[in-house]
Amino acid sequence: MSRLSDATVAAAPAVLPAYDRAAVKTGVVHLGIGAFHRAHQAVVFDDALASGDLRWGVLGASLRSPGVRDQLNPQDGLYTLVIRDGAAEHLRVIGAGQGVLVGPEAPAVLVAAMAHPDVHLVTLTVTEKGYRLDPATGDLMVEDPEVAADLADIAAPRTAPGFVVAALQARKAAGLAPFTVISCDNLPHNGARIRAGVLEMARRIDPDLADWIAAEGAFPQTMIDRIVPATIPEDIEKLTGRIGVRDEGMVKAEPFTQWVIEDRFAGPRPDFAALGVQLTDAVAPWEDAKLRLLNGAHSAVSYLGALSGHEHVHEAVANPVLNAFVEALWDEVETTLNPPPGLDIAAYRQELMARFSNSALMHRTRQIAMDGSQKLPQRLLAGTAERLAAGQGIDALALGIAAWMKWQSGVTESGETFVVDDPLAAKTAELLAGADSDEARVAALLTLSAVFPPALAADPAFAKAVTAAYLSLGTNGAVEAARLVVE
Ligand code: CS2
């Protein structure tokens, strides 16, 4: 079966790139070319190209495995975005991609590509853990072996901040302006965080470089939103049946998409506003609303759902008790928000529940459960701390946090064991192994300072609520524990 490519694309029954791909320049290098990038930022760059501004082709880079390179390079960078909404499917072939490099195979080639004069933007989706920042404090993890390797030899970087520093060093040496660095991960204050990590690394390598980046560089904060579940083999088979060629690089997503970017750039950028991207001076209120309402509920309902055998998000929220639990969580979170002008929280909540209920996405609760140690602080803990400081109850938030703790034991309520997929999994396993009661297990996990800020962990009201929730999960199971919270 032939693959989707420049040679075969014309016959695909989809919206096709309507511009001369051969004339496109590489203006963007994207680090971490997973499904989310392909279904979100790449679509905006594809729109920019379609509008006639041919500066915004995207060179992708994978900082770990060659998987996506092997999917996309044989397809000339083309892939199909499948938008699913109930029974309806909308197909669009994205042409912005200009190939994929694999960082570990040839780091200097990637650095040189990022240092090319045509490149003005470096975007990143490397997941929370890819930034090598302590999740609770945001500090660069200088003890991390790969960070240490980058500090020792920045000419052959391994980490995302390392590639940014190496490429900025090359640009400075060549007399070029820096590129704008746009983090598109769900980190709190993502722009400020990556900026601090990059400056810290640069300062240890060359203080003049750090000063130059601080003065000339730009790291806008962003809020990015689209639900993009991992592609499964059945998705590829189904699409092959529809388009008649095989597309190993396809991605599936919901119709909703949103990108809010702080209006702060070091140089040229596409006309983002004309492309539907919101430019603003204040991203934080958007970010808090999204991280705490969407991602907070996503994580909480995924731990509760996965523990109690709900494989997909739409199935979890179809359970009336878990659905009511999400609403109760949102009632708590809402009091911590300072909604930006133009965001109606009641309408946003309604829309979120409809998005979670999209049964065509097949979004696995276990996918969202991954890397919880990196997600908890911004999704559940920040709002919890604010409610406690205001003397407010945290029953629903505490159950979400306790469900994350239960998940660390690696066994579901039906007794199925699984591997906990989290960079701190070895650490949490060690803490749990040293505790001999549920109370001791909660107390042990609360000592994880990379997750729980010390002041929060030391708050007796917090420990009490989370311990009670953890005990309830053990005695009642996730659904019943949620019922007790919502009743
Ligand atoms: C999800 C997010 O996997 C997860 O942790 O909560 O990827 C979520 O789907 C996106 O942030 C939606 O914008």
Side-chain angles (χ1 to χ4, degrees):
M1 165 81 62
S2 48
R3 297 277 287 271
L4 181 70
S5 69
D6 280 330
T8 62
V9 67
V15 175
L16 303 179
Y19 47 87
D20 177 8
R21 292 192 79 220
V24 170
K25 287 188 176 168
T26 302
V28 185
V29 175
H30 182 80
L31 306 183
I33 182 152
F36 184 67
H37 167 74
R38 280 176 273 162
H40 187 278
Q41 306 97 64
V43 183
V44 173
F45 294 121
D46 196 60
D47 285 338
L49 299 173
S51 78
D53 183 353
L54 296 181
R55 292 174 297 169
W56 304 109
V58 183
L59 175 69
S62 169
L63 300 190
R64 294 182 306 169
S65 61
V68 178
R69 186 260 318 270
D70 297 343
Q71 290 164 2
L72 291 179
N73 285 1
Q75 301 187 174
D76 303 315
L78 295 173
Y79 62 90
T80 312
L81 168 65
V82 180
I83 305 287
R84 287 199 188 153
D85 189 12
E89 268 194 353
H90 171 82
L91 307 185
R92 169 169 167 185
V93 174
I94 304 295
Q98 302 208 293
V100 178
L101 297 176
V102 180
E105 288 179 1
V109 175
L110 176 53
V111 171
M114 294 166 76
H116 192 281
D118 288 345
V119 170
H120 302 298
L121 304 176
V122 168
T123 51
L124 297 93
T125 52
V126 292
T127 79
E128 293 86 342
K129 63 179 179 265
Y131 291 84
R132 315 296 168 124
L133 304 172
D134 180 281
T137 64
D139 293 339
L140 182 70
M141 300 194 303
V142 285
E143 316 277 277
D144 177 284
E146 296 201 322
V147 172
D150 284 359
L151 289 171
D153 180 15
I154 196 64
R158 302 180 187 187
T159 69
F163 275 103
V164 171
V165 169
L168 288 173
Q169 186 180 45
R171 293 181 81 95
K172 178 170 180 279
L176 292 171
F179 40 67
T180 300
V181 179
I182 308 183
S183 164
C184 302
D185 283 292
N186 290 313
L187 289 183
H189 314 302
N190 52 13
R193 283 221 172 179
I194 182 171
R195 179 176 189 271
V198 164
L199 287 179
E200 175 66 27
M201 189 179 271
R203 196 158 309 282
R204 286 164 182 262
I205 292 165
D206 171 2
D208 285 347
L209 174 63
D211 290 343
W212 179 76
I213 298 171
E216 311 281 326
F219 299 77
Q221 185 176 339
T222 67
M223 185 277 256
I224 64 281
D225 190 8
R226 179 169 239 175
I227 295 177
V228 185
T231 303
I232 54 174
E234 290 84 335
D235 296 324
I236 296 176
E237 298 312 323
K238 186 171 167 206
L239 181 68
T240 304
R242 280 196 68 184
I243 66 176
V245 286
R246 198 165 172 82
D247 178 359
E248 299 276 352
M250 69 154 281
V251 288
K252 61 178 175 181
E254 62 173 342
F256 184 93
T257 185
Q258 188 176 19
W259 197 0
V260 184
I261 308 183
E262 184 185 2
D263 197 351
R264 175 198 293 271
F265 296 88
R269 86 240 45 182
D271 185 356
F272 276 127
L275 300 167
V277 175
Q278 293 161 256
L279 293 172
T280 169
D281 292 331
V283 176
W286 288 100
E287 173 191 280
D288 286 345
K290 192 263 175 175
L291 289 179
R292 296 184 189 184
L293 291 170
L294 189 160
N295 296 110
H298 238 182
S299 286
V301 84
S302 290
Y303 292 117
L304 293 168
L307 285 167
S308 57
H310 296 83
E311 193 181 345
H312 300 104
V313 173
H314 71 275
E315 290 150 1
V317 296
N319 176 311
V321 174
L322 294 181
N323 189 296
F325 168 79
V326 169
E327 296 287 351
L329 185 87
W330 285 341
D331 288 343
E332 289 182 5
V333 168
E334 204 177 309
T335 66
T336 73
L337 299 175
N338 169 24
L343 183 65
D344 170 350
I345 295 284
Y348 187 62
R349 283 175 54 163
Q350 237 177 16
E351 187 177 34
L352 282 182
M353 191 60 92
R355 292 170 62 194
F356 289 175
S357 305
N358 185 339
S359 61
L361 288 177
M362 305 296 277
H363 199 182
R364 296 184 73 231
T365 48
R366 285 191 186 192
Q367 184 188 347
I368 297 165
M370 270 173 55
D371 291 350
S373 68
Q374 315 291 301
K375 298 174 175 174
L376 228 54
Q378 57 275 25
R379 295 182 179 206
L380 295 171
L381 301 180
T384 300
E386 287 174 28
R387 279 189 65 91
L388 286 170
Q392 295 164 322
I394 56 162
D395 289 355
L397 284 158
L399 187 63
I401 296 160
W404 170 77
M405 291 182 164
K406 264 278 179 258
W407 188 252
Q408 303 315 302
S409 62
V411 46
T412 68
E413 285 171 9
S414 67
E416 187 199 335
T417 56
F418 58 88
V419 175
V420 178
D421 195 340
D422 191 298
L424 295 188
K427 183 76 192 152
T428 54
E430 181 191 319
L431 290 170
L432 289 172
D436 56 6
S437 68
D438 279 354
E439 287 83 351
R441 284 186 258 281
V442 172
L445 291 175
L446 289 180
T447 66
L448 268 177
S449 63
V451 179
F452 299 99
L456 181 63
D459 181 338
F462 178 64
K464 188 168 166 230
V466 175
T467 306
Y470 191 90
L471 292 170
S472 178
L473 285 171
T475 314
N476 302 309
V479 173
E480 196 51 30
R483 187 193 312 278
L484 295 171
V485 165
V486 299
E487 265 173 13

